[in-house]
Amino acid sequence: MTEHGGRSAPGDAGEDGARAGTAAEQQSRLSAGDRERLSAAAEEGLPVRGGARSSVRGGERLSVQAGEWLFAVLGLPLALLCGVYAIAVLYTGVLLSLTVLGLPFVVAALLGARGLGSLHRRLVGRLLGEQVEAPAALPRPTGSVARGRAVLTDPVGWRTLLYLVLRLPLGVLGFVAAVALPLGCGWLIGFPLWARLLEPEPRPFGWADAVSVPLGLLLLVAVPGAIRALSSANRRLAGLLLGPAPAQQRVRKLEAARAVLLAENTDRLHRLERDLHDGTQARLVALAITLSLADDALATAEGPDLARTRGLVERARGQTDDTITELRGLTRGIRPVALDGGLAQALPGLTATSPVPVSVHLDLRERPEPAVESAVYFCAAELLTNVARHSGARSAELGASAVGGRVRLTVRDDGRGGAAPGVGTGLTGLAERLAAVDGVLTVDSPPGGPTTVTAELPSRL
């Protein structure tokens, strides 16, 4: 474990980090329910964690959203029909498996299951606020046999059948929690009155009267929690079985990350080409002209003009220094020279360029791959730039560890907080850059601070 500290003006490293995090901001993939919860958390001063739902306040535990209650009530008939459909399909498919009608029946049933899955995704999105990504479309090979084989080997249809089976008990429990349990609570609370109204003869106050009212009130208080718990279970079940298979999700994530990385690299190459053409090339042309003038001054018939020659040489020296400085800035954006010695040398040098005092804590027991080192370096540069520009912090901490095949970078500041992906701080582009190397960015920045941003990624790709 090593510790360092440093402070100075923002320099090239901060600019490199800003340049690294300038990938085009894309719309966040959070669901509508997540965005509402994050907004509410920001207004109430609750911690906001990137990609995670904010915690529920104590007062909200006794309330139920209208969509959750409607899903519990209206979802029972659909759950019954779809559950019976799935069970009947599985049972009939087994019976017909030895006949000619078996495979065509299963193919038609799986196609029907895909349609029911789409209906459930819309209901979960509309009523529960959980936007489940639609799975990939079925391939369309030529020939009826090939198409039937594609349907039979489609994991989406089988996973949807499993969802319909598991949705049946959840639908029953949801209806019980939303309708039957409140009615039972009303009966228990009014039991002393109902008992005396229904019995022809007066009855004394007994233990049943004493227990029914507190029991009814206790169960009534538990109704919102039960509905919320079942709604959460329905969200997780839908996200697990109605969306793309894990392998498809992995492929889509990698495709999106590759597209972002290719776009970023293309933009960087175009910017490098423009800078070389408009800046460095023009400086080199000016340097060549200056040297040509100096050569003319030395080759005059009357002898060299020393004063003019000295001035031209000084100008050429200044132009050479400017060109070298510009070339260093351009090459530093490709791969920083500081990384030649690894993160243990690069990160302390990076923090030394920050105007905010930064304490460094390193535990680098293994050296990651070069691509991972570059991602960590540019991530640290971007985060320190954000601290200097947006946080209003008086101090910051940077921690990095590389242990057990995982690299973890943490930047914490005591600023004003309120940072979140998609609010103009480049965090969305930074998360996309990390996704290209299978990394994850987590933001914890409640209003008023402190802000903690954590990046985790593998040491080896």
Side-chain angles (χ1 to χ4, degrees):
M1 177 77 71
T2 60
E3 295 189 4
H4 305 269
R7 61 185 300 180
S8 70
D12 295 335
E15 295 174 359
D16 294 338
R19 187 183 300 117
T22 55
E25 298 286 347
Q26 296 182 352
Q27 185 178 7
S28 177
R29 296 188 179 94
L30 293 176
S31 66
D34 289 339
R35 289 194 294 270
E36 293 176 359
R37 293 183 181 89
L38 290 173
S39 300
E43 294 175 359
E44 298 295 335
L46 294 174
V48 178
R49 299 184 182 271
R53 293 189 179 94
S54 57
S55 57
V56 180
R57 292 183 296 140
E60 294 178 351
R61 295 174 184 171
L62 300 180
S63 64
V64 176
Q65 296 181 2
E68 295 177 331
W69 188 84
L70 285 174
F71 187 85
V73 175
L74 302 179
L76 177 61
L78 184 61
L80 289 174
L81 292 175
C82 294
V84 171
Y85 171 85
I87 294 173
V89 163
L90 295 175
Y91 180 74
T92 309
V94 171
L95 293 180
L96 297 177
S97 60
L98 300 178
T99 67
V100 179
L101 299 177
L103 292 180
F105 174 81
V106 174
V107 169
L110 290 175
L111 291 175
R114 260 185 169 263
L116 293 176
S118 177
L119 174 61
H120 278 86
R121 279 195 302 274
R122 288 196 293 270
L123 284 176
V124 171
R126 291 283 184 87
L127 299 180
L128 298 184
E130 184 75 13
Q131 303 300 327
V132 180
E133 185 180 2
L138 271 172
R140 303 284 295 178
T142 57
S144 57
V145 176
R147 291 184 180 180
R149 184 185 300 111
V151 175
L152 290 174
T153 57
D154 176 33
V156 176
W158 294 105
R159 292 167 69 238
T160 305
L161 280 180
L162 178 60
Y163 171 84
L164 298 179
V165 173
L166 298 179
R167 177 72 185 91
L168 179 58
L170 283 179
V172 174
L173 291 176
F175 187 84
V176 169
V179 178
L181 190 56
L183 292 177
C185 292
W187 184 84
L188 286 174
I189 294 173
F191 175 76
L193 178 61
W194 315 136
R196 283 160 179 77
L197 290 177
L198 297 177
E199 292 184 3
E201 296 181 0
R203 59 186 297 271
F205 187 84
W207 66 270
D209 301 299
V211 172
S212 63
V213 176
L215 180 60
L217 292 174
L218 181 63
L219 293 177
L220 188 61
V221 171
V223 168
I227 296 177
R228 295 178 72 95
L230 290 169
S231 298
S232 178
N234 279 295
R235 291 188 187 98
R236 293 182 181 180
L237 185 65
L240 182 64
L241 296 179
L242 294 184
Q248 293 176 337
Q249 292 178 350
R250 173 76 172 171
V251 169
R252 288 188 180 184
K253 181 180 178 181
L254 292 178
E255 287 177 347
R258 183 185 62 181
V260 171
L261 188 61
L262 289 175
E264 181 181 344
N265 287 338
T266 301
D267 179 70
R268 184 181 301 172
L269 289 175
H270 288 169
R271 186 168 61 249
L272 179 61
E273 180 183 7
R274 183 178 62 251
D275 292 341
L276 287 173
H277 181 272
D278 298 339
T280 308
Q281 179 177 309
R283 292 182 185 277
L284 291 175
V285 170
L287 175 61
I289 294 174
T290 303
L291 292 175
S292 177
L293 293 174
D295 182 66
D296 293 341
L298 290 172
T300 57
E302 295 79 5
D305 187 347
L306 296 180
R308 183 187 175 197
T309 302
R310 186 177 293 107
L312 291 173
V313 170
E314 290 296 330
R315 185 195 304 176
R317 180 183 299 173
Q319 292 171 341
T320 303
D321 293 339
D322 293 340
T323 303
I324 292 174
T325 301
E326 185 170 348
L327 284 174
R328 284 176 178 173
L330 293 174
T331 57
R332 188 181 295 113
I334 300 174
R335 175 173 172 83
V337 180
L339 283 176
D340 292 343
L343 292 174
Q345 296 181 11
L347 291 179
L350 183 62
T351 59
T353 66
S354 173
V356 179
V358 182
S359 60
V360 183
H361 308 277
L362 303 179
D363 184 15
L364 303 172
R365 306 179 190 178
E366 57 189 51
R367 183 164 182 177
E369 290 184 353
V372 176
E373 280 188 333
S374 297
V376 173
Y377 180 85
F378 286 119
C379 180
E382 172 70 8
L383 293 178
L384 291 178
T385 301
N386 284 345
V387 171
R389 292 181 179 177
H390 307 295
S391 69
R394 293 173 295 180
S395 64
E397 298 178 6
L398 184 147
S401 64
V403 181
R406 300 290 297 178
V407 180
R408 181 184 179 93
L409 173 71
T410 302
V411 176
R412 185 179 185 275
D413 66 76
D414 58 359
R416 65 178 64 95
V423 295
T425 57
L427 292 177
T428 300
L430 192 58
E432 292 168 348
R433 183 185 182 93
L434 288 175
V437 288
D438 209 12
V440 178
L441 187 73
T442 305
V443 182
D444 182 6
S445 181
T451 295
T452 302
V453 183
T454 303
E456 292 192 44
L457 57 163
S459 300
R460 301 285 183 270
L461 298 178

